[in-house]
Amino acid sequence: MSIKTITVEKLQDKIADGENLLILDVRNPEDFQNWKIEGKNVQNLNIPYFDFLDDEKAAESHLSKETEVVVVCVKGGSSEMVAEMLADQGYDVFSLEGGMQAWGDFYTFQPVVEDSDISLYQGIRPARGCLSYVIASQDEAIIVDPLRHIDRYLQFVKEKGLKVVSVLDTHGHADHIS
C-alpha cells in the first residue's frame, strides 16, 4: 500500500483554514511535551512509536475511522511506518513529510500590503510562533526582525526581484539573527 504524505505547507494551510485535525505524534513523551504542532482546531495525541512495535493497534481506542489523522515523528521515517499500519487498519492517515524537523524549519511569507509604491510581507515561522517582516519599495527591501534561517529571506527577496538594503532589529531576540 502506498503511504499518503502531507507537506508542511499543506499542513499549515489546513491549520490556517481552521480544519479539524488530529495529529498523532509518535515521538517520545518528553519530546512531545516540549514541542508539538498547535493550532485552533488541532487535537494532539501522543502514542510513542515503540508502542506500535509492541501492538499495531495501540491507537485503536483513541482514533475514529471517520477522522483524518496526520502522523508525525522527528524526521518522517517512523511516522511513515505507523501511517502504513493505520492505513492497513482502515484509517484515513497521512505522514508528515520530513517530520517535526521540517515543521520547525518551515517559513511562509504572507502579504500584508501590496501596493505599487510599497509592499509589506509578514514572515511567519508557525512552529515557533515567530514573526518577521519584509518591507519592499521599488526593487529594495528592508528585513525587520529576521529569524535564524537567513536562506528563507534571501530566497523570498530573490523571488520578488528585490535587493536587501537594510536589516533592522526592534529588540533583542533569542532566536532571531541580523
Side-chain angles (χ1 to χ4, degrees):
M1 169 175 266
S2 177
I3 302 302
K4 293 191 299 185
T5 62
I6 187 169
T7 64
V8 291
E9 294 85 1
K10 292 287 184 192
L11 179 59
Q12 173 57 30
D13 289 345
K14 287 177 172 281
I15 292 170
D17 290 344
E19 288 188 34
N20 291 322
L21 293 172
L22 174 60
I23 306 288
L24 172 58
D25 194 317
V26 297
R27 295 176 298 146
N28 292 325
E30 308 80 44
D31 297 326
F32 173 75
Q33 287 304 318
N34 289 331
W35 181 44
K36 57 185 140 275
I37 297 174
E38 298 179 292
K40 182 179 178 187
N41 294 330
V42 174
Q43 178 187 354
N44 279 287
L45 174 62
N46 177 231
I47 302 174
Y49 164 78
F50 295 108
D51 289 5
F52 288 94
L53 294 179
D54 292 337
D55 178 8
E56 289 188 5
K57 295 187 177 197
E60 188 173 47
S61 65
H62 303 282
L63 302 180
S64 164
K65 294 198 175 161
E66 286 76 43
T67 302
E68 187 176 273
V69 179
V70 178
V71 184
V72 301
C73 65
V74 176
K75 295 181 182 178
S78 299
S79 63
E80 285 184 4
M81 190 180 114
V82 171
E84 184 175 14
M85 288 179 191
L86 294 174
D88 288 346
Q89 296 170 42
Y91 293 99
D92 184 13
V93 62
F94 293 83
S95 174
L96 180 62
E97 291 178 16
M100 291 299 283
Q101 185 173 31
W103 180 250
D105 291 344
F106 174 63
Y107 286 66
T108 183
F109 291 88
Q110 300 295 321
V112 177
V113 174
E114 286 185 305
D115 198 322
S116 59
D117 296 326
I118 192 166
S119 296
L120 174 65
Y121 303 93
Q122 187 174 56
I124 305 166
R125 186 176 179 204
R128 300 292 186 200
C130 296
L131 301 174
S132 57
Y133 298 88
V134 176
I135 303 168
S137 181
Q138 298 174 0
D139 64 347
E140 297 181 335
I142 296 171
I143 301 175
V144 181
D145 293 334
L147 298 153
R148 66 184 183 94
H149 297 100
I150 297 302
D151 58 317
R152 304 315 192 280
Y153 298 91
L154 297 177
Q155 179 183 346
F156 178 75
V157 297
K158 182 179 179 182
E159 288 170 4
K160 293 291 184 183
L162 302 169
K163 175 185 168 195
V164 177
V165 296
S166 188
V167 176
L168 306 172
D169 279 321
T170 59
H171 60 287
H173 301 274
D175 54 356
H176 293 217
I177 188 169
S178 299

